[in-house]
């Protein structure tokens, strides 16, 4: 019976860059050449997302990354709810106008909203200095979201000179007020060992705080700690439960890891069909590792009806992202010309390219 190889995750600090997905360092499949762990970035990413009703367009590759903080208005303040409602519906100019009036009256949530709008050029020209000013006013008034957002700006040196010491204090204050994003990013700084002395146990505590609050990135990171015994006693059962929670929240890396655990019956009852379904989901979310694992199970027919054409389509797609696999290359070479043409056509259609250019 084929076993899927789990992803070995290097427990190192990988700070989030703005408008980029979290990347925990992954050891590639056995067929791939080992690569060193990724070097920590210098710009932690905020974890809040834009409202689904009005997704912001993806910035061009050369555009400046923006801090994203979605203020959570208290339900008993109809004025703040109105500002937030306008923001949710993408009516940024109206949200800006109303928030400006509310901020002058001392409304801290409106101040945070102004910082958000200035930082992300929503309804107003991007101005990090003004964003930092409004975030600071709200942070001084005790708003945890503003503290977090201002910390991100201070780390990145936007809206003023970089100030990592101030950023750490802001993250700590925000985390103390229960902000899971702040706890997660502060944990990364403790792992990095540059801004703060490296302390994996403190990092684990902060990750647990964020994970308990439902932060999927923290759940995934803490799962790797339990899996490898980093800063916590090794506990595969806890690791798998955290992977499951993060996977249910659509964390792609967790989907892959949890699928592998299900496939192999590691820390959870064996469920090959469920594993393949998760791998398929992650593959369609452009996880090259999932694409490689899905290709293997489809080609071998383990846990799913054998479909070499579909499996090798995913193999070709994974190769373009650098996830080669000699075993699957051999299977591709043995396909009939007609089936190989189908696999290549499927890969080209997925990639939106007339030519396959594997790395």
């Amino acid at each position: 019976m084929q076993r899927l190889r789990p992803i070995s995750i290097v427990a190192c600090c990988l700070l989030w860059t703005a408008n980029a997905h979290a990347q925990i360092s992954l050891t590639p499949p056995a067929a791939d050449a080992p690569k060193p762990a990724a070097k920590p970035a210098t710009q932690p990413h905020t974890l809040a997302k834009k409202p689904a009703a009005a997704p912001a367009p993806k910035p061009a590759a050369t555009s400046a990354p923006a801090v994203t903080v979605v203020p959570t208005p208290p339900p008993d303040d109809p004025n703040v709810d109105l500002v937030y409602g306008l923001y949710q519906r993408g009516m940024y100019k109206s949200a800006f106008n109303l928030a400006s009036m509310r901020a002058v009256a001392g409304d801290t949530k409106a101040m945070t909203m102004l910082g958000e709008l200035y930082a992300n050029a929503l309804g107003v020209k991007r101005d990090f200095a003004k964003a930092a000013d409004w975030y600071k006013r709200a942070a001084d008034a005790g708003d945890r979201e503003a503290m977090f957002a201002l910390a991100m700006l201070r780390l990145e040196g936007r809206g003023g000179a970089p100030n990592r010491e101030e950023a750490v204090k802001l993250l700590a204050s925000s985390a103390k007020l229960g902000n899971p994003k702040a706890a997660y990013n502060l944990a990364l700084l403790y792992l990095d060992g540059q801004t703060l002395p490296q302390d994996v146990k403190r990092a684990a505590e902060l990750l647990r705080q964020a994970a308990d609050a439902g932060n999927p990135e923290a759940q995934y990171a803490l799962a790797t700690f339990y899996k490898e015994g980093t800063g916590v006693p090794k506990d595969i059962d806890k690791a798998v439960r955290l992977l499951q929670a993060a996977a249910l929240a659509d964390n792609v890396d967790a989907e892959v890891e949890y699928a592998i655990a299900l496939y192999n019956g590691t820390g959870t009852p064996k469920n090959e069909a469920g594993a393949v379904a998760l791998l398929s989901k992650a593959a369609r979310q452009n996880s090259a590792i999932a694409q490689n694992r899905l290709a293997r199970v489809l080609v071998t027919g383990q846990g799913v009806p054998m479909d070499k054409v579909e499996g090798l389509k995913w193999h070709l797609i994974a190769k373009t992202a650098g996830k080669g696999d000699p075993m699957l290359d051999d299977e591709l070479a043995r396909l009939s010309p007609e089936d190989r043409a189908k696999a290549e056509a499927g890969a080209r259609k997925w990639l939106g390219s007339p030519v396959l250019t594997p790395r």
Side-chain angles (χ1 to χ4, degrees):
M1 177 69 72
Q2 178 194 8
R3 285 177 64 84
L4 288 182
R5 289 173 58 86
I7 305 166
S8 174
I9 302 173
V10 180
C12 64
C13 174
L14 295 175
L15 300 185
W16 288 54
T17 54
N19 293 321
H21 294 295
Q23 297 293 324
I24 301 294
S25 179
L26 300 169
T27 300
D32 296 338
K35 298 178 182 178
K39 183 179 180 181
T42 58
Q43 299 175 346
H45 176 58
T46 107
L47 306 180
K49 299 179 180 178
K50 285 281 191 278
K58 293 183 179 179
T62 57
S63 63
V67 174
T68 302
V69 175
V70 180
T72 304
D76 58 348
D77 189 336
N79 293 300
V80 176
D81 281 349
L82 181 55
V83 173
Y84 186 69
L86 292 169
Y87 174 87
Q88 282 190 308
R89 294 193 296 275
M91 300 172 68
Y92 303 125
K93 183 62 177 175
S94 297
F96 175 81
N97 292 336
L98 184 55
S100 297
M101 291 188 291
R102 296 294 304 163
V104 170
D107 191 310
T108 57
K109 292 296 181 183
M111 294 175 191
T112 303
M113 177 62 78
L114 287 175
E116 156 78 357
L117 297 173
Y118 273 119
N120 293 282
L122 300 173
V124 65
K125 184 178 179 180
R126 175 174 284 132
D127 189 325
F128 286 115
K130 289 183 179 178
D133 179 61
W134 282 114
Y135 283 143
K136 188 174 188 314
R137 295 188 197 190
D140 289 346
D143 187 85
R144 70 181 195 179
E145 296 291 343
M147 293 173 188
F148 172 69
L150 183 59
M152 296 298 101
L153 292 182
R154 293 295 185 247
L155 285 169
E156 298 165 7
R158 298 187 182 278
N163 190 330
R164 301 182 79 80
E165 183 178 350
E166 181 186 359
V168 168
K169 291 179 180 178
L170 287 163
L171 286 175
S173 295
S174 184
K176 189 174 182 180
L177 291 172
N179 188 334
K181 302 184 298 295
Y184 174 72
N185 279 270
L186 189 58
L188 297 185
L189 292 177
Y190 274 110
L191 283 173
D192 178 45
Q194 296 182 25
T195 302
L196 291 168
Q198 190 173 59
D199 188 337
V200 293
K201 289 186 177 180
R202 177 59 178 151
E205 291 171 359
L206 289 162
L207 288 176
R208 186 179 295 109
Q209 176 185 332
D212 289 346
N215 184 286
E217 285 72 30
Q219 290 167 342
Y220 174 63
L222 187 58
T224 69
F225 276 37
Y226 278 115
K227 177 183 173 183
E228 299 174 1
T230 302
V232 294
K234 191 171 182 178
D235 191 323
I236 296 301
D237 291 340
K238 285 185 179 179
V240 171
R241 287 198 296 272
L242 285 161
L243 287 174
Q244 181 184 34
L248 289 172
D250 295 327
N251 181 286
V252 179
D253 291 327
E255 289 171 356
V256 178
E257 279 275 0
Y258 184 53
I260 293 171
L262 284 173
Y263 193 91
N264 294 327
T266 304
T268 185
K270 191 178 182 72
N271 184 347
E272 290 183 346
V276 173
L278 264 181
L279 287 176
S280 297
K281 179 183 177 183
R284 286 171 171 78
Q285 291 171 297
N286 287 320
S287 166
I289 295 173
Q291 291 162 352
N292 170 269
R293 304 304 201 273
L294 179 61
R296 278 181 164 262
V297 297
L298 286 169
V299 167
T300 59
Q302 296 289 341
V304 67
M306 183 183 292
D307 189 338
K308 291 191 175 184
V309 171
E310 179 71 6
L312 292 171
K313 177 196 84 172
W314 286 112
H315 166 56
L316 290 169
I317 293 168
K319 282 187 72 172
T320 66
K323 297 300 177 189
D325 193 321
M327 184 276 280
L328 294 174
D329 283 337
D330 291 342
E331 291 287 345
L332 184 65
R334 287 194 287 268
L335 275 186
S336 68
E338 294 79 10
D339 283 346
R340 177 167 183 146
K342 290 178 183 177
E344 291 177 345
R348 284 194 296 270
K349 182 178 180 181
W350 175 265
L351 295 167
S353 172
V355 180
L356 291 174
T357 55
R359 296 178 192 173

